[in-house]
Amino acid sequence: MEEIDVPTHFLCPISLQLMRDPVTVSTGITYDRESIERWLFSCNNNTCPVTKQVLLEADLTPNHTLRRLIQSWCTLNSSLGIERIPTPKPPVNKTQIVKIIDEAKRFPHTQLKSLRKLRSFMLQSERNKACIEAAGAVDFLATTVKSYGSSLTEVDIDDGSDLATASDEALSILYHLNLSESYLKKLVNDDKFVGSLVQLLKHGNYQSRAYATVILMSIFTVADPIHLVSVKPEFFTEISYVLSDQVSQQAFKAALKLLLELCPWGRNRIKAVEGGAVPILIDLLLDMTDRRVCELILNVLDQLCRCAEGRAELLNHEAGVAIVSKKILRVSHVGSDRAVRILTSICKFSATARVLQEMLQVGAVAKLCLVLQVDASLKTRERAKEILKLHSRIWRASPCIPPRLLSCYPSS
């Protein structure tokens, strides 16, 4: 195939590919729209990639002359397999977005159509996402979700109704927008909006529950302590169901991160335990092979085992101690450390004769001895040594510990 010599000024300075929609920034440099928008909006940069000058405004001016030159060049080289680049549609602007929102507010029967139009714009480019947020669409989207969420507490609404479909569309847009911290803080301060998301966790379809979980994780990441300690028990019950149902991989991880974010605050550990989190997490851990997910689950269990109720739930599960012990030295240094921390909490505060005997029988004590012989982190080895010393009178002479491991058993 004949090599095609593309004029240098037809190539985007960022991607070095033929520009399809050339636009010029305030420094006078021309880029392909998709590349520069990714640089500015997805990567959160505020400089010109070539000159390194700060761009005070993200205005992108279409370079029609260059675009027509590129189109002509494509036509002249069509025999070499070059397809003519179509004339791009003009990008959406703030005025258009405001008009769409106003129309939906004035004529409720057009709301679903307006939401679908917004969603179409949003999926076209990162610039459109920023434009939609700047036009105040987030308030409109949140109100749409609240309207459906409040209806769920009053009457059973059909999932196929216009109100439910509008809520699904609004949730989808909020999920994809990559909201700024200022808007996330505004949403977390809106108790009605947070309550509506919880109702959607309870009554929504799988997709809505997934979107709601990820949005909740995002807003609680920037929440003030007063919001973190005041989360209602119902919230933890529904998040536990999201974990149990595994509505999506992203929502599953978001739910784990959400629990990890909330558990250290106030009585949230107890609320999570009462919401059924511990047995669900243990069941998930039994068959989990993904390293990162195992670490997250062990992290959450470590948090929950810092309260008596959490330790009791783990010990009541027939596989609780066994699966935590099994994950030591099988996941990662982080996983091993969290698993040993869980056993530390149990051995310090819940070490009944039955528990100590169970740890021998399931191999937890032998695993702790093994930790002292392998390349585990210093803190993990110190915790293992502390546990073994704490109950050496009961464990040291046990036939459950292999002789090769007994030789490293720490002296009291």
Side-chain angles (χ1 to χ4, degrees), residues 51 90 116 128 163 270 303 380 402:
T51 68
R116 285 173 174 163
N128 285 4
L163 189 58
I270 296 173
Q303 284 289 334
T380 304

Side-chain angles (χ1 to χ4, degrees), residues 92-101 118 121 131-132 135 137:
V92 67
N93 57 53
K94 186 176 176 180
T95 303
Q96 288 176 273
I97 301 298
V98 171
K99 184 178 178 181
I100 292 170
I101 296 171
L118 284 178
F121 285 149
C131 185
I132 289 171

